[in-house]
Amino acid sequence: MSTTIADPLAGQKLRLRESPRWALAITSVALFMVTLDNLVVTMALPAIRRSLHASIQSLEWTVNAYTLTFAVLLLTGAALGDRFGRRRMFVVGLAVFTAASAAAALSPDTGLLIAARAVQGAGAAIVLPLTLTLLSEATPPQRRGMALGIWSGVSGLGVAIGPLAGGAVVQGLDWHWIFWINVPVGVMLLPLARTRLAESRGPSRRLDIPGLALVGAGLLGITYAVIRGQALGWTSAGILAPMSAGVALLATFAWWEAQTDAPMLPMRFFRSRAFSAANAVSFAMYFGVFGSIFLLAQFFQTAQGYSPLAAGLRTLPWTAMPIAVAPFAGLLSDRIGSRPLLAAGLALQATAIAWLAVILAPGVSYTLLVVPFVLAGTGMAMVFAPASSAVLGSVAPAEVGQASGATNAIRELGGVLGIAVLASVFSAHGSYAAPASFAAGLTAALPVGAAFLAVGAVIALLVPRPAPGGDGGRRDGADQPAAAVPSSKAPSSVR
């Protein structure tokens, strides 16, 4: 039975009061879909390698085509939301991601699969930063830590179910279906996002096209050089040229962003110790963890002969931990600040990866892997929400969209380079030829990931303590906050 509301303004206020729930539900499902796609592919890599006769470089690009476009365009995704409307661009990103998922499912060879994955990454780059912005806007400051904890827990759920879902789908159906599963979810979300989310805009009204071109070309050059360095030779012209060009273009990007009137990444953000340190921690974590997961996800199938589903089940002690721990980490970060959680989380992950590097072998008993898997998963969960809280608390409220795009881009860039570097170390010391060869390459690569995580734990100690009496809106040491920018937020409307 429905209730009629005589006063239209009262009805609008009621619907606006309900908008945080809708924002949390819709953005969480979208975040889950995008996060799931980051790892659902990992369990399908052996099947893709056999089906399409793919080399390890092709497998890297199957993952990195997604993560690279994702990382490069995240800042632009946030800027598009500021310029054209966050709800509108969220819907556009969902549509692009859904269509590209169908294209990936229909791909007959690695070339088309890599192209479809790149388009998927572009759609995800619009969706992901806007999930954080839309949720942050819809949630009162005093409840934002809890909302971010739930947001992080959903992200952890995508991480947890990714390998398991990928293994189940590949074993029960076919690897193409790991992409088909996105289509009905995207189709369901599109009308809900259009009718249940409030529209808003940010302070920026211009797109930084030169900045996008510089950062995109620079990251592409560096990533290509890292991926192809082992095959072509690190001192060859074919590697030194794109590497040098990439570094030069990124330096030019930093110069351009510092002097343009409408930067996609304001360099003044980095004057905040909280912003810089939290993003450095996120980069180190994604480098170490996702570079390691790229290889570890293949270990159970390639080195131990398990089925895709059995391999996915064996990753659960690691990947399921964020579901339980991340929401509590978000709540705890509101009370004690981000620094102790970030430092402890990175230290746990470094310990776990180093432990695995010592004990992994083709015949290792699974029971010996459970404890380091649990430590790694717990450490991941302790970083997600506190890092986001530290970043969002270090900028003005009107700049949350740009900060969200920046931190997510830095995370994904860490994942891209982590996969590229650890796969190169793997190729130098091992191969897919035999279980022993795979294990040799894996145990050579994992210490690199552990080292990056350990460095991240040290950097986490630089995150400032929360200011005395600080509220949920400005936590964790906005020690040099960006200058407040008057909000040009458009009138909200919830249809």
Side-chain angles (χ1 to χ4, degrees), residues 127-473:
V127 171
L128 190 141
L130 294 179
T131 64
L132 191 56
T133 306
L134 289 166
L135 180 59
S136 179
E137 281 198 327
T139 307
Q142 65 272 19
R143 296 168 54 194
R144 195 167 292 150
M146 182 177 66
L148 288 175
I150 296 172
W151 183 87
S152 299
V154 170
S155 178
L157 181 63
V159 171
I161 293 181
L164 179 60
V169 170
V170 170
Q171 184 170 328
L173 296 169
D174 183 77
W175 68 262
H176 298 84
W177 284 90
I178 63 174
F179 301 111
W180 281 125
I181 60 178
N182 293 324
V183 176
V185 178
V187 169
M188 176 194 70
L189 279 180
L190 285 170
L192 288 175
R194 284 179 58 86
T195 58
R196 297 295 183 178
L197 292 178
E199 183 62 284
S200 66
R201 289 176 171 82
S204 176
R205 289 290 186 268
R206 290 168 53 191
L207 296 180
D208 183 13
I209 301 300
L212 173 63
L214 288 168
V215 72
L219 292 177
L220 181 62
I222 291 174
T223 305
Y224 172 84
V226 173
I227 289 176
R228 297 292 292 159
Q230 181 62 31
L232 300 181
W234 291 103
T235 58
S236 67
I239 296 301
L240 292 178
M243 177 68 77
S244 301
V247 172
L249 287 168
L250 289 183
T252 305
F253 167 76
W255 168 82
W256 170 259
E257 295 299 288
Q259 59 90 38
T260 185
D261 293 333
M264 62 189 297
L265 176 57
M267 291 293 108
R268 58 188 167 78
F269 282 1
F270 292 96
R271 291 200 296 268
S272 165
R273 187 154 55 97
F275 183 90
S276 297
N279 278 306
V281 165
S282 293
F283 179 91
M285 189 190 84
Y286 273 62
F287 186 107
V289 169
F290 284 91
S292 301
I293 286 176
F294 173 76
L295 296 170
L296 285 167
Q298 303 176 65
F299 171 77
F300 291 116
Q301 295 182 64
T302 303
Q304 295 197 323
Y306 285 106
S307 68
L309 177 58
L313 287 169
R314 280 164 172 76
T315 66
L316 280 178
W318 183 340
T319 57
M321 290 305 297
I323 304 173
V325 177
F328 294 102
L331 287 171
L332 195 57
S333 72
D334 286 339
R335 294 177 176 272
I336 67 172
S338 297
R339 178 162 67 180
L341 294 169
L342 294 176
L346 268 293
L348 284 177
Q349 292 173 79
T351 301
I353 298 297
W355 189 342
L356 290 170
V358 172
I359 65 174
L360 279 175
V364 66
S365 170
Y366 175 69
T367 57
L368 296 178
L369 307 179
V370 173
V371 173
F373 277 11
V374 169
L375 290 179
T378 301
M380 286 176 63
M382 293 171 67
V383 173
F384 287 133
S388 296
S389 295
V391 169
L392 297 184
S394 67
V395 301
E399 297 171 323
V400 163
Q402 285 179 305
S404 170
T407 192
N408 282 294
I410 290 168
R411 288 176 176 180
E412 293 302 321
L413 176 59
V416 168
L417 295 180
I419 290 171
V421 170
L422 267 65
S424 295
V425 176
F426 170 87
S427 296
H429 296 85
S431 70
Y432 289 96
S437 297
F438 186 91
L442 177 59
T443 54
L446 290 182
V448 178
F452 265 82
L453 292 165
V455 170
V458 175
I459 294 173
L461 299 176
L462 300 176
V463 175
R465 296 181 185 275
D471 60 21

